[in-house]
Amino acid sequence: MVTEQRLGLSGECERVAVVGPGAIGTTVSALLHEAGNMPTLCGRTPRAELTLIDGDRRIVVPGPVHTDPSVPTARAGVLFLAVKATQTAEAAPWLRALCGAGTVVCALQNGVEQIAAVQPHIPHENLIVPAVVWFPAQAQEDGTVRLRGEPRLTLPASPGADRVAAALRDTRCHVDLAADFTTLAWRKLLQNAAAGFMALTGRRSGVFARSDVADLTRAYLRECQAVACAEGAALDDETPDAILARFRSFPADMSTSILTDREAGRPLEWDIRNGVISRLGRSHCIPTPISDTVTTLLAATSDGPG
């Protein structure tokens, strides 16, 4: 049986905003709301409410989702930026509207370049805290979001991260502050890079059951690992096999955001998930022939039909 929760706002929490109420943004919004800290919701599409399905829980987050950044909105103490990297520039008006001088921006985005990508779009010298999102959340055809794992974030042990962790302290989202954030961020990037094969084949996790796809994925991940280590990540030689084994352990129907974007005809996050391997490989004089091919094909796929 699914139980529905509609919880009230606690006045004791720091004001929080979520920009981008997609799968990840809806999950964070629902967990905050469930704990009594209703965030300000901002996005492109007006919605009366958000709904998260988490096992037998159905958490309904009351709206509205604000869509006009020119309408005065209270500044946020902590802002969760949950738009895709391809939409960061589009979200800039919301960043200007919601960020005060003391706002901490937590980038719930893929990749290892969040700070450099977000910094040009905020109006102050705000602290930007990158995050590694470990939980799978998938948007459903009826507009709800289904959480398919325990919610967990990893943040760097850096200024501002304590305020992000405090905003989530009473929620069911487990937050780790990592001294070696670089290694964890790159490990997640390797996982995201390999998921590019799902977008290229138009298939879900079951595609990795093929031995030929598994061999190609392993070779690709070894290229990615070499670049990651050159960037300071401490990834051992077992990492490619471990990531591949994880994909092969998923339910065959498990999807990923880059495949969902391809199915919806949206631009793909190919550059920050895959192109970064080729770009940084060149800077370290590391050959990345598989990455170069994957990046070219994903870029072409992102262009759409025709």
Side-chain angles (χ1 to χ4, degrees):
M1 180 178 66
V2 175
T3 59
E4 183 168 304
Q5 303 180 36
R6 295 175 180 263
L7 306 176
L9 172 65
S10 168
E12 300 178 358
C13 303
E14 184 164 29
R15 185 179 295 277
V16 177
V18 175
V19 176
I24 299 301
T26 291
T27 301
V28 171
S29 298
L31 297 176
L32 286 164
H33 176 55
E34 180 185 45
N37 186 10
M38 177 62 201
T40 301
L41 307 174
C42 306
R44 296 180 301 177
T45 305
R47 298 177 66 179
E49 61 187 25
L50 307 176
T51 302
L52 179 73
I53 309 297
D54 178 12
D56 62 354
R57 294 182 176 93
R58 182 184 180 90
I59 305 171
V60 178
V61 185
V65 173
H66 301 281
T67 59
D68 186 355
S70 68
V71 176
T73 307
R75 305 288 187 178
V78 174
L79 187 155
F80 290 98
L81 179 63
V83 301
K84 295 184 183 299
T86 54
Q87 301 167 335
T88 299
E90 185 180 346
W94 277 119
L95 295 174
R96 292 192 293 270
L98 293 166
C99 284
T103 302
V104 174
V105 178
C106 180
L108 301 174
Q109 296 181 315
N110 292 315
V112 292
E113 302 168 304
Q114 296 99 325
I115 294 177
V118 174
Q119 189 74 66
H121 301 292
I122 57 178
H124 306 280
E125 291 299 317
N126 299 83
L127 293 173
I128 301 172
V129 179
V132 178
V133 179
W134 295 108
F135 55 86
Q138 291 180 237
Q140 308 298 298
E141 290 184 0
D142 62 0
T144 65
V145 171
R146 183 170 294 276
L147 180 60
R148 301 184 66 171
E150 292 298 319
R152 182 165 66 93
L153 298 177
T154 298
L155 310 176
S158 63
D162 56 337
R163 287 177 56 195
V164 177
L168 294 167
R169 181 173 296 135
D170 296 326
T171 73
R172 289 185 293 109
C173 183
H174 182 75
V175 179
D176 297 309
L177 298 182
D180 186 8
F181 181 79
T182 296
T183 293
L184 295 172
W186 271 98
R187 183 182 179 88
K188 179 61 184 293
L189 179 65
L190 263 63
Q191 181 175 315
N192 284 337
F197 289 117
M198 296 164 71
L200 289 177
T201 60
R203 291 189 55 190
R204 300 189 177 194
S205 290
V207 72
F208 294 101
R210 290 182 57 101
S211 59
D212 51 359
V213 173
D215 289 343
L216 178 61
T217 302
R218 186 181 295 107
Y220 178 43
L221 288 171
R222 286 174 179 157
E223 281 187 5
C224 298
Q225 178 200 9
V227 175
C229 290
E231 285 289 305
L235 297 178
D236 60 36
D237 292 340
E238 304 303 316
T239 300
D241 285 316
I243 292 175
L244 176 59
R246 180 171 171 78
F247 273 110
R248 302 186 88 178
S249 73
F250 289 154
D253 67 342
M254 180 76 81
S255 188
T256 183
S257 61
I258 195 168
L259 173 58
T260 301
D261 284 344
R262 180 188 174 177
E263 291 171 338
R266 292 187 290 261
L268 306 183
E269 290 184 309
W270 61 267
D271 188 49
I272 58 102
R273 296 169 63 129
N274 302 90
V276 62
I277 303 297
S278 296
R279 284 190 281 107
L280 294 179
R282 287 192 294 272
S283 72
H284 292 287
C285 298
I286 297 173
T288 57
I290 300 175
S291 178
D292 296 346
T293 301
V294 169
T295 297
T296 298
L297 292 175
L298 283 171
T301 301
S302 184
D303 288 344

mmCIF file with all atom_site columns, all heavy atoms in Angstrom, residues 203-222:
data_model
loop_
_atom_site.group_PDB
_atom_site.id
_atom_site.type_symbol
_atom_site.label_atom_id
_atom_site.label_alt_id
_atom_site.label_comp_id
_atom_site.label_asym_id
_atom_site.label_entity_id
_atom_site.label_seq_id
_atom_site.pdbx_PDB_ins_code
_atom_site.Cartn_x
_atom_site.Cartn_y
_atom_site.Cartn_z
_atom_site.occupancy
_atom_site.B_iso_or_equiv
_atom_site.pdbx_formal_charge
_atom_site.auth_seq_id
_atom_site.auth_comp_id
_atom_site.auth_asym_id
_atom_site.auth_atom_id
_atom_site.pdbx_PDB_model_num
ATOM 1   N N   . ARG A 1 203 ? 19.340 1.339   -25.414 1.00 0.00 ? 203 ARG A N   1
ATOM 2   C CA  . ARG A 1 203 ? 18.940 0.240   -24.538 1.00 0.00 ? 203 ARG A CA  1
ATOM 3   C C   . ARG A 1 203 ? 19.237 0.574   -23.084 1.00 0.00 ? 203 ARG A C   1
ATOM 4   O O   . ARG A 1 203 ? 20.081 1.428   -22.787 1.00 0.00 ? 203 ARG A O   1
ATOM 5   C CB  . ARG A 1 203 ? 19.668 -1.052  -24.927 1.00 0.00 ? 203 ARG A CB  1
ATOM 6   C CG  . ARG A 1 203 ? 19.231 -1.613  -26.271 1.00 0.00 ? 203 ARG A CG  1
ATOM 7   C CD  . ARG A 1 203 ? 19.817 -2.990  -26.488 1.00 0.00 ? 203 ARG A CD  1
ATOM 8   N NE  . ARG A 1 203 ? 19.473 -3.892  -25.386 1.00 0.00 ? 203 ARG A NE  1
ATOM 9   C CZ  . ARG A 1 203 ? 20.029 -5.101  -25.231 1.00 0.00 ? 203 ARG A CZ  1
ATOM 10  N NH1 . ARG A 1 203 ? 20.929 -5.533  -26.093 1.00 0.00 ? 203 ARG A NH1 1
ATOM 11  N NH2 . ARG A 1 203 ? 19.669 -5.857  -24.204 1.00 0.00 ? 203 ARG A NH2 1
ATOM 12  N N   . ARG A 1 204 ? 18.579 -0.129  -22.176 1.00 0.00 ? 204 ARG A N   1
ATOM 13  C CA  . ARG A 1 204 ? 18.772 0.067   -20.745 1.00 0.00 ? 204 ARG A CA  1
ATOM 14  C C   . ARG A 1 204 ? 19.904 -0.829  -20.241 1.00 0.00 ? 204 ARG A C   1
ATOM 15  O O   . ARG A 1 204 ? 20.692 -1.345  -21.036 1.00 0.00 ? 204 ARG A O   1
ATOM 16  C CB  . ARG A 1 204 ? 17.456 -0.162  -20.017 1.00 0.00 ? 204 ARG A CB  1
ATOM 17  C CG  . ARG A 1 204 ? 16.387 0.825   -20.502 1.00 0.00 ? 204 ARG A CG  1
ATOM 18  C CD  . ARG A 1 204 ? 15.126 0.813   -19.689 1.00 0.00 ? 204 ARG A CD  1
ATOM 19  N NE  . ARG A 1 204 ? 14.207 1.842   -20.182 1.00 0.00 ? 204 ARG A NE  1
ATOM 20  C CZ  . ARG A 1 204 ? 13.153 2.261   -19.520 1.00 0.00 ? 204 ARG A CZ  1
ATOM 21  N NH1 . ARG A 1 204 ? 12.855 1.742   -18.333 1.00 0.00 ? 204 ARG A NH1 1
ATOM 22  N NH2 . ARG A 1 204 ? 12.377 3.201   -20.031 1.00 0.00 ? 204 ARG A NH2 1
ATOM 23  N N   . SER A 1 205 ? 19.973 -1.025  -18.926 1.00 0.00 ? 205 SER A N   1
ATOM 24  C CA  . SER A 1 205 ? 21.132 -1.708  -18.352 1.00 0.00 ? 205 SER A CA  1
ATOM 25  C C   . SER A 1 205 ? 21.342 -3.112  -18.892 1.00 0.00 ? 205 SER A C   1
ATOM 26  O O   . SER A 1 205 ? 22.462 -3.636  -18.854 1.00 0.00 ? 205 SER A O   1
ATOM 27  C CB  . SER A 1 205 ? 20.994 -1.776  -16.827 1.00 0.00 ? 205 SER A CB  1
ATOM 28  O OG  . SER A 1 205 ? 21.133 -0.493  -16.259 1.00 0.00 ? 205 SER A OG  1
ATOM 29  N N   . GLY A 1 206 ? 20.299 -3.734  -19.418 1.00 0.00 ? 206 GLY A N   1
ATOM 30  C CA  . GLY A 1 206 ? 20.432 -5.066  -19.978 1.00 0.00 ? 206 GLY A CA  1
ATOM 31  C C   . GLY A 1 206 ? 21.448 -5.153  -21.093 1.00 0.00 ? 206 GLY A C   1
ATOM 32  O O   . GLY A 1 206 ? 21.967 -6.241  -21.388 1.00 0.00 ? 206 GLY A O   1
ATOM 33  N N   . VAL A 1 207 ? 21.794 -4.031  -21.718 1.00 0.00 ? 207 VAL A N   1
ATOM 34  C CA  . VAL A 1 207 ? 22.751 -4.060  -22.826 1.00 0.00 ? 207 VAL A CA  1
ATOM 35  C C   . VAL A 1 207 ? 24.122 -4.537  -22.367 1.00 0.00 ? 207 VAL A C   1
ATOM 36  O O   . VAL A 1 207 ? 24.888 -5.141  -23.141 1.00 0.00 ? 207 VAL A O   1
ATOM 37  C CB  . VAL A 1 207 ? 22.851 -2.671  -23.502 1.00 0.00 ? 207 VAL A CB  1
ATOM 38  C CG1 . VAL A 1 207 ? 23.588 -1.680  -22.608 1.00 0.00 ? 207 VAL A CG1 1
ATOM 39  C CG2 . VAL A 1 207 ? 23.539 -2.775  -24.854 1.00 0.00 ? 207 VAL A CG2 1
ATOM 40  N N   . PHE A 1 208 ? 24.448 -4.314  -21.086 1.00 0.00 ? 208 PHE A N   1
ATOM 41  C CA  . PHE A 1 208 ? 25.770 -4.700  -20.595 1.00 0.00 ? 208 PHE A CA  1
ATOM 42  C C   . PHE A 1 208 ? 25.896 -6.204  -20.377 1.00 0.00 ? 208 PHE A C   1
ATOM 43  O O   . PHE A 1 208 ? 26.987 -6.701  -20.087 1.00 0.00 ? 208 PHE A O   1
ATOM 44  C CB  . PHE A 1 208 ? 26.091 -3.937  -19.311 1.00 0.00 ? 208 PHE A CB  1
ATOM 45  C CG  . PHE A 1 208 ? 26.234 -2.462  -19.522 1.00 0.00 ? 208 PHE A CG  1
ATOM 46  C CD1 . PHE A 1 208 ? 25.192 -1.594  -19.203 1.00 0.00 ? 208 PHE A CD1 1
ATOM 47  C CD2 . PHE A 1 208 ? 27.391 -1.934  -20.064 1.00 0.00 ? 208 PHE A CD2 1
ATOM 48  C CE1 . PHE A 1 208 ? 25.311 -0.236  -19.420 1.00 0.00 ? 208 PHE A CE1 1
ATOM 49  C CE2 . PHE A 1 208 ? 27.520 -0.574  -20.288 1.00 0.00 ? 208 PHE A CE2 1
ATOM 50  C CZ  . PHE A 1 208 ? 26.478 0.284   -19.958 1.00 0.00 ? 208 PHE A CZ  1
ATOM 51  N N   . ALA A 1 209 ? 24.805 -6.935  -20.525 1.00 0.00 ? 209 ALA A N   1
ATOM 52  C CA  . ALA A 1 209 ? 24.874 -8.395  -20.448 1.00 0.00 ? 209 ALA A CA  1
ATOM 53  C C   . ALA A 1 209 ? 25.561 -8.979  -21.679 1.00 0.00 ? 209 ALA A C   1
ATOM 54  O O   . ALA A 1 209 ? 26.072 -10.107 -21.632 1.00 0.00 ? 209 ALA A O   1
ATOM 55  C CB  . ALA A 1 209 ? 23.474 -8.993  -20.300 1.00 0.00 ? 209 ALA A CB  1
ATOM 56  N N   . ARG A 1 210 ? 25.597 -8.241  -22.764 1.00 0.00 ? 210 ARG A N   1
ATOM 57  C CA  . ARG A 1 210 ? 26.303 -8.699  -23.962 1.00 0.00 ? 210 ARG A CA  1
ATOM 58  C C   . ARG A 1 210 ? 27.801 -8.714  -23.689 1.00 0.00 ? 210 ARG A C   1
ATOM 59  O O   . ARG A 1 210 ? 28.357 -7.708  -23.208 1.00 0.00 ? 210 ARG A O   1
ATOM 60  C CB  . ARG A 1 210 ? 26.005 -7.793  -25.145 1.00 0.00 ? 210 ARG A CB  1
ATOM 61  C CG  . ARG A 1 210 ? 24.589 -7.858  -25.700 1.00 0.00 ? 210 ARG A CG  1
ATOM 62  C CD  . ARG A 1 210 ? 24.447 -6.932  -26.898 1.00 0.00 ? 210 ARG A CD  1
ATOM 63  N NE  . ARG A 1 210 ? 25.411 -7.262  -27.945 1.00 0.00 ? 210 ARG A NE  1
ATOM 64  C CZ  . ARG A 1 210 ? 25.119 -7.950  -29.049 1.00 0.00 ? 210 ARG A CZ  1
ATOM 65  N NH1 . ARG A 1 210 ? 23.887 -8.389  -29.254 1.00 0.00 ? 210 ARG A NH1 1
ATOM 66  N NH2 . ARG A 1 210 ? 26.056 -8.207  -29.948 1.00 0.00 ? 210 ARG A NH2 1
ATOM 67  N N   . SER A 1 211 ? 28.478 -9.784  -24.033 1.00 0.00 ? 211 SER A N   1
ATOM 68  C CA  . SER A 1 211 ? 29.921 -9.880  -23.762 1.00 0.00 ? 211 SER A CA  1
ATOM 69  C C   . SER A 1 211 ? 30.707 -8.872  -24.586 1.00 0.00 ? 211 SER A C   1
ATOM 70  O O   . SER A 1 211 ? 31.715 -8.322  -24.106 1.00 0.00 ? 211 SER A O   1
ATOM 71  C CB  . SER A 1 211 ? 30.409 -11.297 -24.045 1.00 0.00 ? 211 SER A CB  1
ATOM 72  O OG  . SER A 1 211 ? 30.170 -11.662 -25.404 1.00 0.00 ? 211 SER A OG  1
ATOM 73  N N   . ASP A 1 212 ? 30.265 -8.595  -25.830 1.00 0.00 ? 212 ASP A N   1
ATOM 74  C CA  . ASP A 1 212 ? 31.008 -7.636  -26.646 1.00 0.00 ? 212 ASP A CA  1
ATOM 75  C C   . ASP A 1 212 ? 30.874 -6.222  -26.097 1.00 0.00 ? 212 ASP A C   1
ATOM 76  O O   . ASP A 1 212 ? 31.850 -5.449  -26.069 1.00 0.00 ? 212 ASP A O   1
ATOM 77  C CB  . ASP A 1 212 ? 30.584 -7.702  -28.111 1.00 0.00 ? 212 ASP A CB  1
ATOM 78  C CG  . ASP A 1 212 ? 29.077 -7.619  -28.322 1.00 0.00 ? 212 ASP A CG  1
ATOM 79  O OD1 . ASP A 1 212 ? 28.325 -7.526  -27.322 1.00 0.00 ? 212 ASP A OD1 1
ATOM 80  O OD2 . ASP A 1 212 ? 28.650 -7.645  -29.496 1.00 0.00 ? 212 ASP A OD2 1
ATOM 81  N N   . VAL A 1 213 ? 29.671 -5.865  -25.634 1.00 0.00 ? 213 VAL A N   1
ATOM 82  C CA  . VAL A 1 213 ? 29.479 -4.549  -25.032 1.00 0.00 ? 213 VAL A CA  1
ATOM 83  C C   . VAL A 1 213 ? 30.264 -4.454  -23.721 1.00 0.00 ? 213 VAL A C   1
ATOM 84  O O   . VAL A 1 213 ? 30.873 -3.418  -23.413 1.00 0.00 ? 213 VAL A O   1
ATOM 85  C CB  . VAL A 1 213 ? 27.985 -4.263  -24.794 1.00 0.00 ? 213 VAL A CB  1
ATOM 86  C CG1 . VAL A 1 213 ? 27.795 -2.966  -24.006 1.00 0.00 ? 213 VAL A CG1 1
ATOM 87  C CG2 . VAL A 1 213 ? 27.248 -4.175  -26.120 1.00 0.00 ? 213 VAL A CG2 1
ATOM 88  N N   . ALA A 1 214 ? 30.293 -5.538  -22.964 1.00 0.00 ? 214 ALA A N   1
ATOM 89  C CA  . ALA A 1 214 ? 31.058 -5.545  -21.711 1.00 0.00 ? 214 ALA A CA  1
ATOM 90  C C   . ALA A 1 214 ? 32.543 -5.335  -21.982 1.00 0.00 ? 214 ALA A C   1
ATOM 91  O O   . ALA A 1 214 ? 33.209 -4.565  -21.277 1.00 0.00 ? 214 ALA A O   1
ATOM 92  C CB  . ALA A 1 214 ? 30.828 -6.854  -20.967 1.00 0.00 ? 214 ALA A CB  1
ATOM 93  N N   . ASP A 1 215 ? 33.070 -6.000  -23.007 1.00 0.00 ? 215 ASP A N   1
ATOM 94  C CA  . ASP A 1 215 ? 34.499 -5.841  -23.337 1.00 0.00 ? 215 ASP A CA  1
ATOM 95  C C   . ASP A 1 215 ? 34.801 -4.407  -23.762 1.00 0.00 ? 215 ASP A C   1
ATOM 96  O O   . ASP A 1 215 ? 35.824 -3.829  -23.366 1.00 0.00 ? 215 ASP A O   1
ATOM 97  C CB  . ASP A 1 215 ? 34.888 -6.802  -24.458 1.00 0.00 ? 215 ASP A CB  1
ATOM 98  C CG  . ASP A 1 215 ? 34.908 -8.261  -24.003 1.00 0.00 ? 215 ASP A CG  1
ATOM 99  O OD1 . ASP A 1 215 ? 34.937 -8.500  -22.772 1.00 0.00 ? 215 ASP A OD1 1
ATOM 100 O OD2 . ASP A 1 215 ? 34.893 -9.152  -24.876 1.00 0.00 ? 215 ASP A OD2 1
ATOM 101 N N   . LEU A 1 216 ? 33.933 -3.831  -24.576 1.00 0.00 ? 216 LEU A N   1
ATOM 102 C CA  . LEU A 1 216 ? 34.138 -2.448  -25.029 1.00 0.00 ? 216 LEU A CA  1
ATOM 103 C C   . LEU A 1 216 ? 34.053 -1.489  -23.846 1.00 0.00 ? 216 LEU A C   1
ATOM 104 O O   . LEU A 1 216 ? 34.855 -0.553  -23.735 1.00 0.00 ? 216 LEU A O   1
ATOM 105 C CB  . LEU A 1 216 ? 33.094 -2.091  -26.081 1.00 0.00 ? 216 LEU A CB  1
ATOM 106 C CG  . LEU A 1 216 ? 33.139 -0.663  -26.634 1.00 0.00 ? 216 LEU A CG  1
ATOM 107 C CD1 . LEU A 1 216 ? 34.474 -0.384  -27.313 1.00 0.00 ? 216 LEU A CD1 1
ATOM 108 C CD2 . LEU A 1 216 ? 31.976 -0.428  -27.607 1.00 0.00 ? 216 LEU A CD2 1
ATOM 109 N N   . THR A 1 217 ? 33.084 -1.717  -22.962 1.00 0.00 ? 217 THR A N   1
ATOM 110 C CA  . THR A 1 217 ? 32.925 -0.851  -21.793 1.00 0.00 ? 217 THR A CA  1
ATOM 111 C C   . THR A 1 217 ? 34.153 -0.919  -20.904 1.00 0.00 ? 217 THR A C   1
ATOM 112 O O   . THR A 1 217 ? 34.652 0.112   -20.414 1.00 0.00 ? 217 THR A O   1
ATOM 113 C CB  . THR A 1 217 ? 31.677 -1.269  -20.989 1.00 0.00 ? 217 THR A CB  1
ATOM 114 O OG1 . THR A 1 217 ? 30.531 -1.204  -21.835 1.00 0.00 ? 217 THR A OG1 1
ATOM 115 C CG2 . THR A 1 217 ? 31.475 -0.359  -19.788 1.00 0.00 ? 217 THR A CG2 1
ATOM 116 N N   . ARG A 1 218 ? 34.678 -2.105  -20.681 1.00 0.00 ? 218 ARG A N   1
ATOM 117 C CA  . ARG A 1 218 ? 35.865 -2.265  -19.833 1.00 0.00 ? 218 ARG A CA  1
ATOM 118 C C   . ARG A 1 218 ? 37.063 -1.513  -20.432 1.00 0.00 ? 218 ARG A C   1
ATOM 119 O O   . ARG A 1 218 ? 37.785 -0.801  -19.721 1.00 0.00 ? 218 ARG A O   1
ATOM 120 C CB  . ARG A 1 218 ? 36.191 -3.748  -19.690 1.00 0.00 ? 218 ARG A CB  1
ATOM 121 C CG  . ARG A 1 218 ? 37.332 -4.040  -18.706 1.00 0.00 ? 218 ARG A CG  1
ATOM 122 C CD  . ARG A 1 218 ? 37.623 -5.516  -18.619 1.00 0.00 ? 218 ARG A CD  1
ATOM 123 N NE  . ARG A 1 218 ? 36.511 -6.274  -18.063 1.00 0.00 ? 218 ARG A NE  1
ATOM 124 C CZ  . ARG A 1 218 ? 35.708 -7.070  -18.770 1.00 0.00 ? 218 ARG A CZ  1
ATOM 125 N NH1 . ARG A 1 218 ? 35.873 -7.198  -20.092 1.00 0.00 ? 218 ARG A NH1 1
ATOM 126 N NH2 . ARG A 1 218 ? 34.737 -7.731  -18.185 1.00 0.00 ? 218 ARG A NH2 1
ATOM 127 N N   . ALA A 1 219 ? 37.262 -1.642  -21.732 1.00 0.00 ? 219 ALA A N   1
ATOM 128 C CA  . ALA A 1 219 ? 38.382 -0.947  -22.382 1.00 0.00 ? 219 ALA A CA  1
ATOM 129 C C   . ALA A 1 219 ? 38.202 0.570   -22.299 1.00 0.00 ? 219 ALA A C   1
ATOM 130 O O   . ALA A 1 219 ? 39.173 1.319   -22.064 1.00 0.00 ? 219 ALA A O   1
ATOM 131 C CB  . ALA A 1 219 ? 38.486 -1.394  -23.842 1.00 0.00 ? 219 ALA A CB  1
ATOM 132 N N   . TYR A 1 220 ? 36.972 1.027   -22.486 1.00 0.00 ? 220 TYR A N   1
ATOM 133 C CA  . TYR A 1 220 ? 36.685 2.460   -22.381 1.00 0.00 ? 220 TYR A CA  1
ATOM 134 C C   . TYR A 1 220 ? 36.962 2.959   -20.971 1.00 0.00 ? 220 TYR A C   1
ATOM 135 O O   . TYR A 1 220 ? 37.591 4.010   -20.773 1.00 0.00 ? 220 TYR A O   1
ATOM 136 C CB  . TYR A 1 220 ? 35.226 2.698   -22.779 1.00 0.00 ? 220 TYR A CB  1
ATOM 137 C CG  . TYR A 1 220 ? 34.757 4.131   -22.675 1.00 0.00 ? 220 TYR A CG  1
ATOM 138 C CD1 . TYR A 1 220 ? 35.545 5.191   -23.111 1.00 0.00 ? 220 TYR A CD1 1
ATOM 139 C CD2 . TYR A 1 220 ? 33.492 4.426   -22.164 1.00 0.00 ? 220 TYR A CD2 1
ATOM 140 C CE1 . TYR A 1 220 ? 35.094 6.502   -23.037 1.00 0.00 ? 220 TYR A CE1 1
ATOM 141 C CE2 . TYR A 1 220 ? 33.031 5.729   -22.089 1.00 0.00 ? 220 TYR A CE2 1
ATOM 142 C CZ  . TYR A 1 220 ? 33.841 6.768   -22.524 1.00 0.00 ? 220 TYR A CZ  1
ATOM 143 O OH  . TYR A 1 220 ? 33.397 8.059   -22.442 1.00 0.00 ? 220 TYR A OH  1
ATOM 144 N N   . LEU A 1 221 ? 36.525 2.214   -19.981 1.00 0.00 ? 221 LEU A N   1
ATOM 145 C CA  . LEU A 1 221 ? 36.727 2.629   -18.592 1.00 0.00 ? 221 LEU A CA  1
ATOM 146 C C   . LEU A 1 221 ? 38.209 2.663   -18.225 1.00 0.00 ? 221 LEU A C   1
ATOM 147 O O   . LEU A 1 221 ? 38.620 3.467   -17.378 1.00 0.00 ? 221 LEU A O   1
ATOM 148 C CB  . LEU A 1 221 ? 35.957 1.714   -17.651 1.00 0.00 ? 221 LEU A CB  1
ATOM 149 C CG  . LEU A 1 221 ? 34.429 1.899   -17.662 1.00 0.00 ? 221 LEU A CG  1
ATOM 150 C CD1 . LEU A 1 221 ? 33.743 0.802   -16.867 1.00 0.00 ? 221 LEU A CD1 1
ATOM 151 C CD2 . LEU A 1 221 ? 34.051 3.274   -17.117 1.00 0.00 ? 221 LEU A CD2 1
ATOM 152 N N   . ARG A 1 222 ? 39.007 1.827   -18.835 1.00 0.00 ? 222 ARG A N   1
ATOM 153 C CA  . ARG A 1 222 ? 40.453 1.879   -18.576 1.00 0.00 ? 222 ARG A CA  1
ATOM 154 C C   . ARG A 1 222 ? 41.056 3.171   -19.113 1.00 0.00 ? 222 ARG A C   1
ATOM 155 O O   . ARG A 1 222 ? 41.940 3.751   -18.484 1.00 0.00 ? 222 ARG A O   1
ATOM 156 C CB  . ARG A 1 222 ? 41.137 0.652   -19.177 1.00 0.00 ? 222 ARG A CB  1
ATOM 157 C CG  . ARG A 1 222 ? 40.861 -0.626  -18.376 1.00 0.00 ? 222 ARG A CG  1
ATOM 158 C CD  . ARG A 1 222 ? 41.408 -1.854  -19.051 1.00 0.00 ? 222 ARG A CD  1
ATOM 159 N NE  . ARG A 1 222 ? 41.143 -3.049  -18.255 1.00 0.00 ? 222 ARG A NE  1
ATOM 160 C CZ  . ARG A 1 222 ? 41.096 -4.290  -18.738 1.00 0.00 ? 222 ARG A CZ  1
ATOM 161 N NH1 . ARG A 1 222 ? 41.303 -4.495  -20.040 1.00 0.00 ? 222 ARG A NH1 1
ATOM 162 N NH2 . ARG A 1 222 ? 40.850 -5.309  -17.942 1.00 0.00 ? 222 ARG A NH2 1
#
